Amino acid sequence: MIADIVIAGGGPNGLMLACELSLAGIRPLVLERLPERTQDNRANGLVGQVVRTLDRRGLYERLAGNQDPPRPAPGFVFGALPIDLSVLDDNPLYILQVPQRRIEQMLEERAVELAVEIRRGHELTGFTQDADGVTLQVSGPAGPYTIETRYLIGADGGHSIVRKLAGIAFPGVTTDETIARTAHAVVPAELVDPVTGGLDIPGYGPIPPFLHHRTEHGLFVYAPLPGAPAPLISTMEWNGQDAEGPLTLAELQASAHRVLGVNIAFGPPDGQGPHLMRKLNGGNTRLAERFRDGRVLLVGDAAHVHSAIGGPGLNLGLQDAVNLGWKLAAEARGTAPAGLLDTYESERRPAAERVVMSSRAQSALIAPGSEVTGLRALFTELLGDPRNVRRIADLMSGADVRYEVGGDHPLAGRWAPDLDLKDGARLAELTRDGRPHLIDFTGDDWGYPATAGLPGSAVPCTAMLLRPDGYVAWATDVPQPDAASRASLRAAIQRWLG
């Protein structure tokens, strides 16, 4: 069999990449070793730029269940320290609470709509590559077979077989001093605060919902997620006691007692589930030595793993997929300008490095001990300054990412601002086709057909060129097109679009 592009891994990142490739006219083949979607819930929502990314593909409303555009969160946490985001005029941090299994379901439905072939129960077992393509060995329900493809994408998680077979090193740090326990569990009704939705525990005090709550002895989270069979209860301890065998509610209850110093009676949720009951010992922080080896590329956890604190995983991985999709499609079509595919790593690796830095900093802030308590007191003072709140919000959302696209305009290389267009549509509605767009705010002729313009009210520039991933490839403030501005636009189009 011959396929243009094969994606190993049918999780959120692999499915998102498949959708992006299909929008660009390339029909990939997705291989997923699991015979059906997992019922394990590895994540409970989306945090950061990815929320607006999904909005610009028309996918946000499918998850939110309504037609309203996403709204920034009024507050969040950094290292279990509360952040008041209402002090920001342009808050970049968006949150959508939705189980990962629902995200996977939605992305699979979208991929099928776009005629993507998904083979479940088919596992990549080996491959060889040369200058012209990759030969895959696959194990399927009917036996082993081979596939000839031009490119292979590893979207197969932190234990990626693609990365290992490609010989790409995965340096980093493995720690074993923490034990995280998470389960769906019912708490006594009298402990639930009807106003905040959090807990009010006699002998301890209030615990807000959804936010990491740190004590001198560990971490506690109470998350009554919408649509879940019961609230999620989670604890983390350092060098704690680990009972043998699978997690039980009794073990979780004992852990919560050690963290909070008081007893909370946990009960099992109603119904058949699936009910989460998970225990994780230690953690990994690793970053692939490179994201590409010839015709083999990595996305998501195959390229980077880190602490889940702050919810950065899907924000990083899904944006990897959106960044790679249009570039790989152009390469497969033969229309990519020289070096375009190389910019996938040069743009996404620094983003991954910042997430690794952020997760390490937050892990340090939630650790036990009086020294950390002192550090947290200092950070609390620093977070009283809106300028520091802005830096943290930009870091956690990914809004501080700026690609080297050329040009010195402040918008160049940044995420395009959300705009209302003159025909009443939103920019997010314009970009659902996954194509580049030239936005003209002046009504003048730039030498290329402009997609849309704006009302005469405040505009961020006079014209801008959007890449398919929603980032600004070029922008100008000249009031009318002149020879220099036309030439700079032409150069940007040739550099990014061929």
Side-chain angles (χ1 to χ4, degrees):
M1 176 185 176
I2 299 177
D4 277 331
I5 296 170
V6 173
I7 301 170
N13 299 319
L15 292 171
M16 188 72 191
L17 176 58
C19 292
E20 291 294 298
L21 289 167
S22 191
L23 284 175
I26 301 295
R27 297 291 184 269
L29 170 62
V30 178
L31 303 177
E32 170 54 53
R33 65 179 182 83
L34 296 177
E36 58 185 24
R37 283 194 306 273
T38 179
Q39 293 300 305
D40 292 342
N41 208 39
R42 302 185 187 91
N44 298 295
L46 299 168
V47 178
Q49 289 285 98
V50 66
V51 176
R52 291 197 280 182
T53 298
L54 292 179
D55 182 42
R56 292 190 178 179
R57 290 296 187 262
L59 302 177
Y60 170 83
E61 60 192 43
R62 298 189 184 203
L63 295 175
N66 59 63
Q67 302 276 329
D68 297 332
R71 303 294 181 196
F76 200 54
V77 287
F78 181 82
L81 293 170
I83 307 173
D84 181 9
L85 298 171
S86 67
V87 302
L88 302 179
D89 293 333
D90 182 21
N91 177 5
L93 193 59
Y94 290 71
I95 299 174
L96 178 62
Q97 292 179 344
V98 58
Q100 179 170 326
R101 61 177 178 270
R102 171 61 189 136
I103 298 170
E104 289 190 24
Q105 178 188 20
M106 181 276 293
L107 289 173
E108 183 172 328
E109 291 169 351
R110 179 55 173 157
V112 171
E113 291 172 4
L114 294 170
V116 173
E117 182 182 356
I118 303 171
R119 295 185 183 178
R120 291 198 169 274
H122 294 248
E123 182 176 8
L124 176 73
T125 58
F127 69 81
T128 58
Q129 66 165 316
D130 56 29
D132 298 319
V134 189
T135 301
L136 314 182
Q137 291 80 50
V138 181
S139 174
Y145 62 98
T146 61
I147 300 175
E148 300 289 334
T149 184
R150 298 177 65 188
Y151 291 94
L152 170 64
I153 311 302
D156 49 346
H159 299 286
S160 170
I161 186 67
V162 173
R163 185 189 65 242
K164 294 174 182 178
L165 291 173
I168 298 176
F170 204 35
V173 176
T174 296
T175 59
D176 59 4
E177 72 262 20
T178 61
I179 304 174
R181 301 173 174 91
T182 305
H184 284 119
V186 175
V187 299
E190 61 270 20
L191 299 185
V192 179
D193 188 318
V195 177
T196 67
L199 300 179
D200 193 356
I201 303 173
Y204 184 83
I207 295 180
F210 304 112
L211 306 181
H212 293 94
H213 186 79
R214 183 255 184 194
T215 75
E216 288 277 354
H217 306 288
L219 204 66
F220 181 86
V221 179
Y222 172 74
L225 296 165
L232 272 180
I233 308 293
S234 183
T235 66
M236 179 177 286
E237 297 180 79
W238 279 253
N239 301 311
Q241 306 171 34
D242 184 13
E244 293 185 3
L247 178 65
T248 65
L249 287 182
E251 182 184 345
L252 179 65
Q253 185 170 322
S255 176
H257 184 273
R258 290 191 295 270
V259 171
L260 299 175
V262 296
N263 188 55
I264 306 174
F266 297 143
D270 297 329
Q272 296 183 353
H275 301 148
L276 181 64
M277 187 75 71
R278 182 175 63 203
K279 178 166 54 177
L280 297 175
N281 291 279
N284 284 289
T285 301
R286 297 185 177 277
L287 186 61
E289 183 179 56
R290 58 190 185 277
F291 287 11
R292 180 185 180 188
D293 181 69
R295 291 179 172 269
V296 178
L297 298 102
L298 307 176
V299 297
D301 288 356
H304 38 68
V305 294
H306 42 75
S307 168
I309 189 168
L314 286 174
N315 187 31
L316 183 62
L318 290 174
Q319 289 194 88
D320 285 350
V322 175
N323 183 285
L324 176 60
W326 64 279
K327 298 173 181 177
L328 187 58
E331 195 76 22
R333 291 194 307 265
T335 61
L340 179 66
L341 195 54
D342 292 332
T343 66
Y344 167 61
E345 179 167 354
S346 66
E347 291 183 343
R348 295 309 298 165
R349 186 182 179 86
E353 289 172 344
R354 290 194 63 74
V355 168
V356 166
M357 178 269 288
S358 172
S359 63
R360 282 176 167 167
Q362 293 185 74
S363 295
L365 283 168
I366 64 174
S370 58
E371 296 88 350
V372 175
T373 300
L375 179 63
R376 291 172 61 83
L378 173 60
F379 257 76
T380 298
E381 291 184 13
L382 295 175
L383 290 174
D385 187 332
R387 293 172 298 179
N388 294 330
V389 173
R390 159 62 64 181
R391 290 183 68 92
I392 294 294
D394 284 347
L395 172 65
M396 297 191 75
S397 67
D400 59 351
V401 170
R402 183 175 187 179
Y403 299 140
E404 295 294 330
V405 300
D408 55 4
H409 193 279
L411 284 178
R414 295 196 179 277
W415 176 259
D418 293 326
L419 301 168
D420 293 322
L421 305 178
K422 66 181 181 182
D423 58 1
R426 297 188 298 125
L427 181 66
E429 298 169 7
L430 184 71
T431 56
R432 291 179 178 179
D433 57 6
R435 298 175 61 83
H437 292 274
L438 176 62
I439 313 291
D440 176 15
F441 305 135
T442 66
D444 294 311
D445 179 15
W446 287 91
Y448 298 90
T451 302
L454 280 181
S457 56
V459 294
C461 53
T462 53
M464 65 180 179
L465 177 67
L466 297 190
R467 304 190 326 184
D469 58 2
Y471 282 80
V472 178
W474 169 90
T476 184
D477 288 327
V478 297
Q480 290 182 326
D482 55 22
S485 59
R486 290 178 195 272
S488 66
L489 171 59
R490 187 178 305 112
I493 290 175
Q494 291 173 344
R495 176 181 179 184
W496 293 106
L497 305 175

